[in-house]
Amino acid sequence: MPGRSSSNSGSTGFISFSGVESALSSLKNFQNCINTGMDTASSVALDLVETQSQISFLCMHVATQLSQLCSFPNEWSWYQVETEVSSEYSMDKAMVEFAMMDRELNHYVKAVQSTINHVKEERPENIPDLKLLVEKKFLALQNKNSDADFQNNEKFVQFKQQLRELKKQYGLQADREADGPEGVDEDMIVTQSQTNFICPITQLEMKKPVKNKVCGHTYEEEAIVRMIESKHRRKKKACCPKIGCGHADVRMCDLVQDEALRRAIESHNKKRHRHSE
């Protein structure tokens, strides 16, 4: 029957790859599960940073008071730092594992697709061992693995950037790098960052900021989308609205949610609301 072969020898004209291609589609759908896992791990990591920033001052204050009253080392501060490092390491490790799964899946899909294309183009007289061909191509790709591959994983790179930015907003990274025990005042960090809260288009505080992956500037999502669509309707390119930026072709595909900035803005507004009460 057409589309079937009963042995490992025969004309490749009777090979049907429909079943293989269907399986590949299922594998590609599994990438959605990996992406969801990476989104979840990233969100948890940012939640941990927010929580740590909220309890940091209290822990340090209580530890200092106990140290002064009881004359013992400031163990609470060490516990807080160790907890922070452990939590961050756990989420970072989870993201690395997801990125490795994504890389392995991509390599396997590439190996299968390469094998199919090879057989279709070469049309060998006898049907080759497809499983063996796929394994060889897959191992060849895997042998080229390196840590630099993670820089090509957009979600992993975005996770590292968002985590770093949020820690800067709360002064957590500055605390760890400071020479003295005083660190950097969190309110001062947030105050210095308030200029980043304003959308260059609306000149209002952003509620749903998105970052341009090309130039790094941030805008209110609705405002930049409206601007891009307006330009495209007139067959024109949208320039970055940030004064002094030379990026002249802002595209929808270059915009990513700036979760770190959104959280920083919300945190700042909560503090401002508490101070006004």
Side-chain angles (χ1 to χ4, degrees):
M1 293 179 64
R4 300 181 64 181
S5 67
S6 57
S7 68
N8 286 337
S9 63
S11 171
T12 57
F14 292 97
I15 298 179
S16 172
F17 293 104
S18 60
V20 177
E21 290 167 348
S22 176
L24 279 181
S25 297
S26 298
L27 281 178
K28 291 177 181 178
N29 289 334
F30 183 67
Q31 284 183 312
N32 294 331
C33 298
I34 295 177
N35 289 335
T36 299
M38 296 185 85
D39 288 339
T40 302
S42 180
S43 180
V44 171
L46 295 178
D47 285 341
L48 287 170
V49 172
E50 281 192 315
T51 302
Q52 288 158 6
S53 71
Q54 292 168 4
I55 68 174
S56 179
F57 175 78
L58 178 60
C59 284
M60 296 299 289
H61 177 72
V62 171
T64 301
Q65 294 299 316
L66 287 175
S67 178
Q68 292 176 349
L69 292 173
C70 304
S71 300
F72 61 84
N74 195 339
E75 295 177 356
W76 278 33
S77 62
W78 281 109
Y79 170 77
Q80 193 271 332
V81 171
E82 289 170 359
T83 302
E84 175 185 337
V85 172
S86 176
S87 300
E88 179 186 339
Y89 173 77
S90 297
M91 290 302 100
D92 189 76
K93 184 179 179 181
M95 290 297 288
V96 168
E97 291 176 351
F98 276 123
M100 291 174 64
M101 289 171 58
D102 185 65
R103 179 178 61 187
E104 185 172 344
L105 181 58
N106 284 329
H107 284 174
Y108 190 78
V109 170
K110 286 180 180 178
V112 174
Q113 290 176 331
S114 176
T115 300
I116 292 175
N117 293 336
H118 174 76
V119 173
K120 286 181 176 179
E121 292 173 2
E122 296 295 326
R123 299 180 67 84
E125 183 178 347
N126 295 322
I127 299 175
D129 188 331
L130 300 180
K131 181 179 179 182
L132 182 60
L133 286 177
V134 169
E135 288 178 351
K136 287 182 177 179
K137 292 180 181 294
F138 174 69
L139 289 175
L141 290 170
Q142 287 289 92
N143 288 335
K144 297 179 181 179
N145 287 347
S146 71
D147 291 343
D149 296 338
F150 297 144
Q151 298 305 314
N152 297 322
N153 187 301
E154 184 175 326
K155 284 189 176 292
F156 183 79
V157 172
Q158 186 178 348
F159 160 75
K160 301 295 285 187
Q161 291 175 342
Q162 297 276 18
L163 191 63
R164 183 168 56 250
E165 288 299 320
L166 192 62
K167 289 171 69 178
K168 285 182 180 179
Q169 294 286 350
Y170 288 120
L172 294 177
Q173 186 170 354
D175 285 342
R176 193 178 297 175
E177 295 174 353
D179 293 329
E182 298 82 7
V184 178
D185 183 70
E186 181 181 324
D187 290 334
M188 181 180 69
I189 293 292
V190 175
T191 300
Q192 292 174 344
S193 302
Q194 287 181 28
T195 54
N196 297 327
F197 296 173
I198 305 300
C199 171
I201 303 172
T202 65
Q203 293 301 310
L204 299 173
E205 186 176 86
M206 291 178 281
K207 295 181 179 179
K208 195 173 182 181
V210 290
K211 177 177 286 188
N212 189 327
K213 294 186 294 183
V214 177
C215 64
H217 293 128
T218 311
Y219 334 96
E220 179 65 52
E221 182 178 37
E222 183 179 352
I224 188 64
V225 168
R226 192 165 55 238
M227 189 188 86
I228 294 174
E229 290 176 343
S230 176
K231 291 287 186 179
H232 286 182
R233 281 195 296 268
R234 290 177 285 164
K235 308 297 181 183
K236 295 182 177 181
K237 295 180 180 180
C239 297
C240 176
K242 186 73 173 180
I243 296 176
C245 181
H247 183 44
D249 188 12
V250 181
R251 303 181 182 184
M252 297 284 197
C253 60
D254 293 329
L255 304 177
V256 294
Q257 298 292 328
D258 196 334
E259 183 68 12
L261 183 58
R262 183 189 67 78
R263 289 168 180 259
I265 293 173
E266 288 184 354
S267 176
H268 170 68
N269 288 335
K270 288 177 181 178
K271 286 184 179 181
R272 185 170 58 186
H273 179 69
R274 286 198 300 267
H275 292 164
S276 64
E277 291 180 346

